[in-house]
Amino acid sequence: MSSFVIEGGHKLQGEITPQGAKNEALQVICAVLMTSEKVEIRNVPDILDIRNLIRLLRDMGVKVEQPATHTYIFQADTIDLTYIETDEFMQRAASLRGSVMMTGPLLARFGRALLPHVGGDKIGRRRLDTHLLGFRKLGANICYDRTGQLTDIRAEKLRGAYMLLDEASLTGTANILMASVLAEGVTTIYNAACEPYIQQLSAMLNRMGARISGIGSNLLTIEGVSSLKGTTHTILPDMIEVGSFIGMAAMTGSGLLIRNTGFDHLGIIPASFRRLGIRIEQEGDDIRVPAHGRYEIDTFIDGSIMTIADAPWPGLTPDLLSVLLVVATQATGSVLIHQKMFESRLFFVDKLIDMGAQIILCDPHRATVIGLGNRFKLRGARMASPDIRAGIALLIAAMSAEGTSRIDNIEQIDRGYEQIDKRLNKLGACITRI
């Protein structure tokens, strides 16, 4: 198990470019299973989860080339379906939550998929009922083995259907969307997730020959086609990295230029940081965060305490609440952080309290942050990363703290952030990997 040792108090300067979006990459890479033709994907982030997914596809028989850094060419013309029945596949797929999105493409093209009980971040229950009920609506037979914690999904022919998703699940929408593209007839998905990731996946599938309308809304209509062709696709910049860099600049009192942010796809992320008093200047597709001596949390119009909560897109992505919470600890003023979508994602705040942060954990979903501005700096501490997003939040806290901190279990951070220590050290941070 590796660790980061962080010497706090160093200001950052210069510019940084966000990696390709992890959540989009997981979806579009799984989509290569839907055609026998070549699919080229650019701006692929070089992170642990993506490397593991590509290795899984390669062992399944997908031909993989890498003609350039962050660019891959996939061709799924000779898939070995027997591989998905092996213990090796089960173990590796179970350890990579993104592998769940192979299910829709496999079911659509080959009529069979096996879904092991998948892991991922320890952020609360993340059930797969939305995926499975959608497949059932399309005509699939689902057999769940409680002993082996394995779901066997089969369909001789998928047929279009109307469905109202019980939740606007991002991965559920992606999975059902991919399955329905090759289904016979028309599929209507209501209460669909509409994040930029889904918009990008839909646009890619349409270039491959799919007929998807309603892109960008929560009502998708898919006219099934018999086959798909190859295409070229470029992944958007990672909005979570963009938000993380904004938070780092504010917390360390640094001026930072964030290049190629995909600003038009950031939704209310910039506005959410502005609520905490952080100045953000748009320069074309770049974001400049000027050095902040201090920043003050806004209030509602009547003067009551600000609440920042996650919500399905176009609401605030839950992946950035951990960063916003940490940033608030060094602001002036108070804010209620309400994590509605996952029940265990705020449990990392005890580590921030140990660092001197003034936080009241009201319940598993709500935390009140009392920002004391520059009067009290966080102090260095030893901690462990419980998940990807809490891990980066703790790293931001350590970078702004007085003294030295150590973060263990940084493999969690590596799953979502490409060589984050090297990239930040180039800006002036002092992070050592041990």
Side-chain angles (χ1 to χ4, degrees):
M1 183 182 295
S2 300
S3 303
F4 281 151
V5 175
I6 306 103
E7 185 179 296
H10 291 268
K11 289 188 180 294
L12 309 178
Q13 61 179 350
E15 59 184 56
I16 191 167
T17 302
Q19 66 187 26
K22 172 196 170 183
N23 289 339
E24 179 187 338
L26 291 170
Q27 295 178 15
V28 299
I29 290 173
C30 288
V32 306
L33 290 167
M34 300 186 65
T35 178
S36 61
E37 297 186 18
K38 289 185 177 182
V39 177
E40 180 175 325
I41 302 179
R42 301 168 181 168
N43 201 28
V44 178
D46 183 19
I47 55 177
L48 186 60
D49 276 4
I50 299 302
R51 290 196 297 269
N52 286 341
L53 177 61
I54 292 173
R55 181 185 165 199
L56 201 58
L57 291 175
R58 183 182 279 118
D59 290 346
M60 192 183 295
V62 178
K63 298 181 180 70
V64 181
E65 304 173 39
Q66 188 175 10
T69 304
H70 303 301
T71 297
Y72 287 86
I73 298 173
F74 302 91
Q75 186 169 15
D77 57 343
T78 54
I79 298 298
D80 178 11
L81 274 185
T82 62
Y83 178 69
I84 68 173
E85 299 178 348
T86 64
D87 290 340
E88 178 183 283
F89 172 81
M90 296 299 173
Q91 292 171 4
R92 289 170 53 197
S95 66
L96 174 64
R97 186 167 183 85
S99 67
V100 69
M101 284 178 289
M102 293 192 299
T103 313
L106 287 172
L107 183 64
R109 186 172 167 207
F110 301 104
R112 173 101 189 275
L114 288 173
L115 180 60
H117 178 73
V118 290
D121 288 336
K122 306 305 180 186
I123 57 176
R125 293 175 300 158
R126 303 171 77 184
R127 57 190 178 85
L128 297 176
D129 295 60
T130 302
H131 305 241
L132 299 176
L133 291 173
F135 295 150
R136 183 175 286 165
K137 280 277 190 178
L138 294 173
N141 294 313
I142 297 170
C143 181
Y144 178 60
D145 178 1
R146 286 185 183 274
T147 303
Q149 291 192 305
L150 172 70
T151 305
D152 192 340
I153 310 166
R154 300 172 187 251
E156 289 187 13
K157 181 63 181 177
L158 296 178
R159 290 179 172 79
Y162 168 86
M163 63 186 78
L164 171 62
L165 302 189
D166 62 339
E167 62 173 345
S169 165
L170 175 61
T171 56
T173 299
N175 230 346
I176 297 165
L177 176 66
M178 289 187 281
S180 61
V181 160
L182 295 180
E184 186 178 277
V186 177
T187 299
T188 303
I189 307 174
Y190 204 15
N191 195 31
C194 52
E195 276 89 344
Y197 313 129
I198 292 292
Q199 297 174 37
Q200 285 282 98
L201 173 65
S202 299
M204 172 181 164
L205 291 171
N206 277 351
R207 289 196 302 274
M208 295 170 71
R211 296 174 181 171
I212 304 168
S213 58
I215 298 172
S217 76
N218 67 346
L219 178 59
L220 296 176
T221 302
I222 304 99
E223 298 177 47
V225 298
S226 58
S227 63
L228 297 179
K229 60 185 180 181
T231 191
T232 298
H233 179 79
T234 301
I235 294 170
L236 286 174
D238 195 312
M239 67 174 76
I240 313 305
E241 269 215 344
V242 173
S244 300
F245 296 148
I246 294 172
M248 287 176 189
M251 283 282 281
T252 58
S254 308
L256 195 62
L257 180 63
I258 309 170
R259 293 282 192 189
N260 304 326
T261 64
F263 193 90
D264 292 341
H265 300 278
L266 295 179
I268 66 170
I269 290 173
S272 298
F273 281 98
R274 290 186 179 114
R275 281 183 159 189
L276 298 182
I278 298 168
R279 297 190 304 279
I280 296 173
E281 301 168 359
Q282 180 185 0
E283 300 178 359
D285 201 36
D286 302 338
I287 287 176
R288 184 179 298 278
V289 184
H292 287 65
R294 62 186 297 275
Y295 49 99
E296 185 172 348
I297 299 171
D298 200 358
T299 64
F300 288 115
I301 293 174
D302 63 358
S304 56
I305 292 176
M306 176 62 62
T307 297
I308 295 179
D310 61 337
W313 192 269
L316 179 64
T317 170
D319 284 347
L320 271 177
L321 273 191
S322 300
V323 172
L324 287 161
L325 188 153
V326 166
V327 171
T329 66
Q330 295 299 286
T332 300
S334 300
V335 63
L336 176 66
I337 302 293
H338 192 171
Q339 170 63 265
K340 297 178 179 179
M341 298 173 69
F342 300 101
E343 70 263 28
S344 303
R345 216 166 198 170
L346 295 181
F347 287 161
F348 79 103
V349 301
D350 61 334
K351 301 172 178 62
L352 297 175
I353 294 170
D354 289 342
M355 297 178 76
Q358 301 291 300
I359 304 173
I360 301 170
L361 185 60
C362 308
D363 55 45
H365 291 275
R366 296 177 301 160
T368 300
V369 184
I370 304 166
L372 300 176
N374 292 329
R375 287 180 292 162
F376 297 97
K377 288 285 188 182
L378 298 179
R379 55 181 175 265
R382 181 164 183 173
M383 44 207 162
S385 173
D387 63 73
I388 299 173
R389 306 312 177 186
I392 200 69
L394 293 174
L395 179 60
I396 294 171
M399 290 168 63
S400 71
E402 292 181 338
T404 300
S405 299
R406 174 169 170 164
I407 302 177
D408 300 322
N409 194 30
I410 60 169
E411 286 79 9
Q412 289 284 0
I413 301 175
D414 287 338
R415 287 176 47 215
Y417 293 85
E418 181 179 330
Q419 298 184 344
I420 192 66
D421 50 331
K422 294 180 180 179
R423 295 161 71 200
L424 294 179
N425 284 342
K426 288 181 179 178
L427 298 176
C430 186
I431 304 170
T432 305
R433 182 183 293 260
I434 59 174

